[in-house]
Amino acid sequence: MTLQQLNRTPTSVEEIYREMKAKLHDIVPDVELRIKAELAYEIHQLKKERNAVILGHNYMEPALYHSIPDFVGDSLQLSRLAAETDKDVIVFCGVEFMAETAKILNPTKTVLIPSDKAGCSLASSITAEDVRALKARFPGVPVVTYVNTYADVKAESDICCTSSNAAAVVNSLDSDTVIFIPDEYLARNVAQETGKRIIFPSRLPNPDAIQPGSFDIIGWHGRCEVHEQFTIEDIHSVRQQFPDVVILAHPECSPEVVAASDFSGSTSAMIRFVRETQAPRFLLLTECSMGDNIAAELPDMEMLRLCSVRCPHMNQITMEETRDALRYLRYQIEVPEDIRVRALAAVERMLAIG
Ligand code: 13P
Ligand code: SF4
């Protein structure tokens, strides 16, 4: 049983080291494990003193992922957990939009992100002003907003979605046409899954010439700087070398890459799929730390990785920064109340969908 499952404070550095070593001996050098076990011990002590909970996204680096979070998961799971916690402090080992969602759900709690540089290329691709302009162009059309956005963008939206419920959220709306922002590829993948036609007004030479009724999803041009790097050539080349490989792609990948893969789903859906599927080897087309995290859990399965692809924003979250977050109660997430209340409505509508 892991420390996470035991949900207790470890009694010594040695205990943490042994547990990390058992899982990560093939993945993290021993000298690094020794240092990180000490850090993890310190973090567990501080977590207890602060009455804090640590949430860790699936993209956290393996030593952090396997030692300090109370819970790990994808964006939707972590949002649900953030909504339920009774702790005073939430430390979010993920990126800023995720910590902001936790604050939206928990205005009276202290929500910390260990680095103030953990952004996201999708979140920075759209502003609240952009959303207001879209709504003015398409009055009455509901706005579905991927959680990978900042609070002021969520506040302009009708409902949020994550990669694990995007199609269900679109289908839940009583409207043939929806505005779906800001991820171009996720929007294209949702259009395919729901049988809808898609258009990108910001790409048209004359956006005013759009005929109402000739499209169903109005998209935006944001891209994940990690997932847009995977290509169909990557897939062909790996399938040529390993014909029995099972390929999984995150829905932030292009529709061509998703179509050429065997499975597409959120980060946790991919982990579940690997756990439940008998295959000799897998290729994960997603952030590369996740491959290490699954490989540590399932050592009998071979994880092929195109491992240059690390999210620079997730990479800002280190164990040193997490310790300092708890020590100095930094970096505190704040969301202006008028924005928070409107963003909360969009997040809660999403959470109400099963
Ligand atoms: P998940 O919701 O699938 O965890 O994805 C979050 C993310 O940022 C993927 O790049
Ligand atoms: Fe944003 Fe892509 Fe990094 Fe996820 S992997 S946090 S979508 S930049």
Side-chain angles (χ1 to χ4, degrees):
M1 193 173 270
T2 65
L3 292 170
Q4 279 158 17
Q5 287 162 329
L6 285 169
N7 197 17
R8 67 169 170 75
T9 308
T11 51
S12 68
V13 175
E14 196 55 30
E15 182 189 353
I16 300 184
Y17 168 75
R18 275 201 308 275
E19 180 155 335
M20 288 169 92
K21 180 82 179 165
K23 281 216 184 97
L24 301 171
H25 56 96
D26 281 341
I27 292 165
V28 182
D30 188 63
V31 62
E32 188 180 329
L33 283 181
R34 291 253 172 226
I35 295 167
K36 296 218 163 143
E38 281 181 28
L39 274 167
Y41 182 72
E42 220 179 326
I43 291 167
H44 278 286
Q45 301 300 316
L46 286 162
K47 186 168 76 176
K48 197 172 165 194
E49 278 166 34
R50 295 288 192 192
N51 191 28
V53 63
I54 300 184
L55 305 180
H57 187 261
N58 291 324
Y59 289 165
M60 289 296 100
E61 57 100 355
L64 186 158
Y65 181 88
H66 287 284
S67 65
I68 56 168
D70 297 285
F71 302 100
V72 291
D74 66 16
S75 307
L76 183 61
Q77 290 170 320
L78 295 178
S79 298
R80 288 193 189 283
L81 288 161
E84 285 163 13
T85 186
D86 58 355
K87 300 286 183 187
D88 299 327
V89 176
I90 301 172
V91 181
F92 214 117
C93 291
V95 290
E96 188 181 337
F97 74 80
M98 296 178 178
E100 236 188 33
T101 306
K103 184 70 182 179
I104 289 167
L105 289 159
N106 293 284
T108 59
K109 295 188 196 294
T110 302
V111 178
L112 305 174
I113 183 153
S115 165
D116 59 355
K117 298 180 189 65
C120 169
S121 65
L122 282 171
S124 57
S125 74
I126 191 160
T127 64
E129 188 49 48
D130 293 328
V131 190
R132 284 192 286 272
L134 278 171
K135 290 199 293 190
R137 292 247 338 263
F138 303 101
V141 176
V143 180
V144 178
T145 295
Y146 193 27
V147 282
N148 295 38
T149 46
Y150 293 120
D152 55 346
V153 167
K154 289 186 175 80
E156 295 296 336
S157 314
D158 294 285
I159 185 164
C160 287
C161 73
T162 73
S163 61
S164 66
N165 62 12
V169 166
V170 167
N171 283 333
S172 76
L173 297 171
D174 187 21
S175 173
D176 290 338
T177 306
V178 297
I179 296 170
F180 189 104
I181 52 173
D183 186 351
E184 171 187 344
Y185 286 159
L186 182 62
R188 287 188 189 277
N189 287 321
V190 167
Q192 231 151 52
E193 204 178 330
T194 55
K196 290 185 180 289
R197 296 157 298 173
I198 188 161
I199 196 161
F200 293 89
S202 62
R203 293 243 176 79
L204 296 175
N206 178 10
D208 292 332
I210 297 173
Q211 294 298 313
S214 60
F215 47 84
D216 312 300
I217 292 186
I218 300 157
W220 191 250
H221 52 257
R223 297 241 186 119
C224 164
E225 67 190 276
V226 173
H227 292 94
E228 72 171 348
Q229 294 182 51
F230 297 114
T231 64
I232 205 92
E233 288 75 31
D234 293 330
I235 295 187
H236 292 328
S237 133
V238 173
R239 284 210 199 275
Q240 242 169 22
Q241 292 173 69
F242 304 98
D244 56 0
V245 68
V246 172
I247 301 182
L248 293 82
H250 193 276
E252 289 169 10
C253 294
S254 73
E256 297 73 32
V257 165
V258 167
S261 303
D262 300 298
F263 177 80
S264 177
S266 76
T267 53
S268 286
M270 284 194 266
I271 295 174
R272 230 176 5 255
F273 184 90
V274 174
R275 278 193 196 127
E276 291 167 3
T277 306
Q278 291 302 318
R281 51 182 66 87
F282 297 87
L283 172 68
L284 300 177
L285 297 177
T286 192
E287 215 281 343
C288 66
S289 280
M290 207 176 89
D292 288 333
N293 291 333
I294 306 182
E297 186 193 319
L298 304 168
D300 295 338
M301 295 183 180
E302 189 183 348
M303 297 295 148
L304 305 174
R305 353 258 217 275
L306 303 175
C307 211
S308 50
V309 195
R310 177 88 175 104
C311 170
H313 310 287
M314 293 283 180
N315 204 25
Q316 299 291 328
I317 308 299
T318 63
M319 290 179 69
E320 287 84 349
E321 297 273 26
T322 307
R323 176 202 55 201
D324 290 348
L326 280 162
R327 242 188 212 165
Y328 308 120
L329 286 183
R330 75 179 192 197
Y331 297 90
Q332 298 201 18
I333 300 286
E334 299 298 346
V335 179
E337 188 58 11
D338 57 325
I339 290 178
R340 189 194 70 79
V341 171
R342 288 187 295 132
L344 178 65
V347 172
E348 281 186 331
R349 269 181 220 123
M350 169 187 79
L351 293 176
I353 293 180

